[in-house]
Amino acid sequence: MDKEVNYQQICEAVTLLAKKVGTWLCSERQQLAAVKMEAKGVHDYVTQFDKQSEMTIVAKLQELVPEAGFIAEEQTVTGLADRFNWIVDPLDGTTNFIHGLPPTAISIALKEYDEIVVGVVYEIWRDECFYAFKGGKAFMNGYPIHVTNCPNLNASILATGFPYSDFSVLTQFMKYMEWSMQHTQGLRRLGSAATDLVYVACGRCDGYFEYGMKPYDVAAGAFIIQQAGGVVSDFSGGNNWLFGREIVASGPALFPEFQQSVQHFLKDIQE
């Protein structure tokens, strides 16, 4: 690929791909009474849909940027490249999908060197495609989106994900949840990190935090938040949210108080 990269053009191609695969996932799921699944770990499952979705996505992305490497959840392809790497979650919210419960999303990001330059999250059940590219704004189905101007935690609604495999830090997590219930408008656990993030980007939630995250869980959604005017960090306020397995994100007005509260309660969490 030439040094001059058209990020918008790549983003448009990825949105079409995500929608096509998402439509297939919805159609196939609705025809089945039950979904066959395999256990990857405690309460961590993979289905034939995760694998087929990833293979289809990877094949098309290889055509789009032939020299790119991949970080893909189901590891149907492996190997990193120097300049470009795709970060792919072919079915975020697998447990929801197994039970026919929304939301479920496809998450695709393109990283150039150390920077995310394209992010696409497609929530398959609501037919909502969230996307952003370097140099542009954030959009949902063609309409610009922006994080909220929520000024403080007392006025906020937060999204998170509950621990489902590592319960070693559950006590700390529950203490923050208890505190949050008393100092916010409420907590929401939707079961899809990618969806949580884009809901912050479009203003449906004011903030999001979670630990134990993988790069493919957060890459696209966090980038979309940033392009929608939001702030993303690790729990300590640093920039190690992509590979650091912890993330906090919100609009800029809320962020200082939000990040400090997360750090206070969860600073010692380690996956």
Side-chain angles (χ1 to χ4, degrees):
M1 180 173 287
D2 296 335
K3 291 184 178 179
E4 291 298 323
V5 180
N6 190 324
Y7 302 113
Q8 181 176 356
Q9 190 175 64
I10 293 173
C11 185
E12 289 172 354
V14 176
T15 60
L16 292 175
L17 171 61
K19 290 178 182 180
K20 181 178 180 180
V21 176
T23 300
W24 172 79
L25 284 168
C26 284
S27 175
E28 291 295 306
R29 178 62 186 88
Q30 289 169 347
Q31 294 178 43
L32 294 178
V35 175
K36 294 180 181 178
M37 58 188 180
E38 305 168 15
K40 293 194 291 185
V42 178
H43 302 155
D44 190 8
Y45 300 102
V46 61
T47 71
Q48 72 268 34
F49 296 102
D50 297 74
K51 295 177 180 180
Q52 183 60 54
S53 175
E54 184 170 291
M55 288 189 291
T56 302
I57 291 169
V58 164
K60 294 298 182 181
L61 295 180
Q62 286 175 326
E63 295 176 6
L64 189 59
V65 185
E67 69 269 36
F70 284 86
I71 301 173
E73 180 174 14
E74 306 309 332
Q75 298 182 0
T76 60
V77 64
T78 58
L80 298 177
D82 291 333
R83 182 179 180 185
F84 291 106
N85 287 283
W86 293 105
I87 306 177
V88 179
D89 192 335
L91 191 60
D92 185 62
T94 297
T95 301
N96 283 358
F97 185 80
I98 289 168
H99 293 276
L101 178 70
T104 303
I106 294 169
S107 177
I108 304 171
L110 179 63
K111 185 165 73 76
E112 183 178 13
Y113 298 118
D114 293 326
E115 179 186 18
I116 305 294
V117 293
V118 171
V120 174
V121 173
Y122 180 59
E123 202 293 301
I124 68 175
W125 299 113
R126 290 174 62 95
D127 187 24
E128 291 182 335
C129 193
F130 302 80
Y131 52 94
F133 53 89
K134 182 179 178 180
K137 298 180 180 180
F139 299 87
M140 189 274 284
N141 288 358
Y143 294 94
I145 57 175
H146 202 276
V147 295
T148 69
N149 293 317
C150 181
N152 53 60
L153 285 170
N154 283 329
S156 72
I157 184 168
L158 304 179
T160 189
F162 299 158
Y164 63 89
S165 61
D166 178 9
F167 302 105
S168 62
V169 292
L170 186 60
T171 298
Q172 291 170 263
F173 186 82
M174 293 302 292
K175 285 181 179 178
Y176 185 56
M177 286 192 62
E178 180 181 0
W179 185 89
S180 297
M181 290 175 189
Q182 300 175 61
H183 293 86
T184 71
Q185 293 293 312
L187 294 172
R188 298 292 182 266
R189 199 273 194 177
L190 302 179
S192 165
T195 304
D196 289 332
L197 287 161
V198 294
Y199 279 9
V200 172
C202 72
R204 292 174 184 167
C205 295
D206 299 298
Y208 168 74
F209 70 97
E210 193 167 352
Y211 76 94
M213 296 288 92
K214 305 293 197 306
Y216 43 75
D217 295 317
V218 300
F223 175 69
I224 293 169
I225 286 178
Q226 292 174 327
Q227 299 303 101
V231 185
V232 181
S233 81
D234 55 33
F235 287 174
S236 65
N239 198 39
N240 191 27
W241 53 265
L242 183 59
F243 295 103
R245 301 176 67 81
E246 57 185 44
I247 189 169
V248 55
S250 73
L254 177 64
F255 188 80
E257 181 188 6
F258 181 32
Q259 181 270 319
Q260 289 168 19
S261 72
V262 172
Q263 183 176 18
H264 176 75
F265 283 92
L266 305 179
K267 60 183 177 181
D268 297 324
I269 279 185
Q270 293 182 355
E271 178 76 354

